[in-house]
Amino acid sequence: MPLDEGLALYAAAVEAGRLGLPLLEIGTYCGRSTILLADAARAAGVTALTVDHHRGSEEQQPGWEYHDPETVDPELGVMDTLPTFRRTLRRAGLEEHVVALVGRSPQIAALWERPLGLVFVDGGHTDEHASADYEGWAPHVAEGGLLVIHDVFPDPVDEFTGQAPYRVHQRALRSGEFTEVSATGSLRVLRRTGAAAAHR
């Protein structure tokens, strides 16, 4: 994530933290963006939640551009970013401000019942995964809360990296439930201004 996008995410988290509700991220990976949410959560006295199965997204698998061999479990031969994520939090001194929800986003969302001050969508980049993240978590954004979507690329040339998040962004705007607040690089911040389906 470029610096300007990270700063925009942090600013959104600080603002959303004022609602006194948890801040949730979908797509933990190794925890860099989690640190931003956790620091904002610490200042606001709320909890940062992060959802990931820690087996890597499509583009992080072996043979793809974003694959990091150091994230592969040597015993099992599969990706496991959870140990790296835990080290990241420990080094940042933010462990007590984060709850890691380890599993697939739709499964965890199906069990979730609380309103959230912020939902940061930064998981899988296929239509299936991006849509499931939106459908599962956007209804939990509280009134006045923020929906933040990363890797929004309107240009069709970016089909693999950002068209699914772009389509989710457009869907959120069309829903009438969200209004765009800011755009920084590929990061979009939207505020819930319409009724939340899950908490009507």
Side-chain angles (χ1 to χ4, degrees):
M1 177 180 291
L3 178 61
D4 60 343
E5 295 180 12
L7 291 172
L9 173 62
Y10 182 73
V14 167
E15 179 183 338
R18 296 185 189 121
L19 295 175
L21 297 168
L23 313 176
L24 181 134
E25 166 187 56
I26 306 153
T28 314
Y29 191 50
C30 295
R32 271 198 277 180
S33 55
T34 310
I35 288 175
L36 300 173
L37 296 186
D39 191 60
R42 173 175 58 184
V46 300
T47 300
L49 308 161
T50 187
V51 177
D52 202 311
H53 49 67
H54 288 279
R55 297 297 187 205
S57 298
E58 305 80 18
E59 72 276 10
Q60 294 160 346
Q61 299 306 315
W64 289 90
E65 178 183 356
Y66 297 104
H67 178 65
D68 179 355
E70 292 186 16
T71 62
V72 176
D73 182 308
E75 181 182 343
L76 300 177
V78 295
M79 285 188 66
D80 185 0
T81 57
L82 185 57
T84 305
F85 164 65
R86 297 198 69 188
R87 284 193 295 273
T88 299
L89 282 186
R90 180 76 174 184
R91 288 174 181 148
L94 292 166
E95 282 182 301
E96 65 186 83
H97 302 284
V98 178
V99 173
L101 302 168
V102 180
R104 300 207 169 265
S105 172
Q107 291 174 298
I108 297 171
L111 302 173
W112 194 260
E113 297 180 353
R114 289 191 59 190
L116 298 162
L118 177 144
V119 167
F120 175 41
V121 179
D122 193 23
H125 285 48
T126 64
D127 281 305
E128 175 190 2
H129 293 131
S131 293
D133 290 341
Y134 173 75
E135 291 165 9
W137 293 105
H140 298 290
V141 177
E143 183 177 353
L146 300 176
L147 174 67
V148 183
I149 306 169
H150 193 224
D151 295 324
V152 174
F153 293 105
D155 191 330
V157 75
D158 297 308
E159 174 60 38
F160 184 73
T161 56
Q163 281 285 283
Y166 171 70
R167 286 188 278 271
V168 163
H169 169 257
Q170 294 299 296
R171 182 175 171 187
L173 292 176
R174 285 194 307 270
S175 74
E177 297 177 9
F178 295 95
T179 303
E180 188 161 293
V181 175
S182 68
T184 305
S186 71
L187 190 85
R188 301 293 183 272
V189 179
L190 297 86
R191 186 184 316 284
R192 177 174 290 287
T193 50
H199 302 286
R200 282 185 182 148

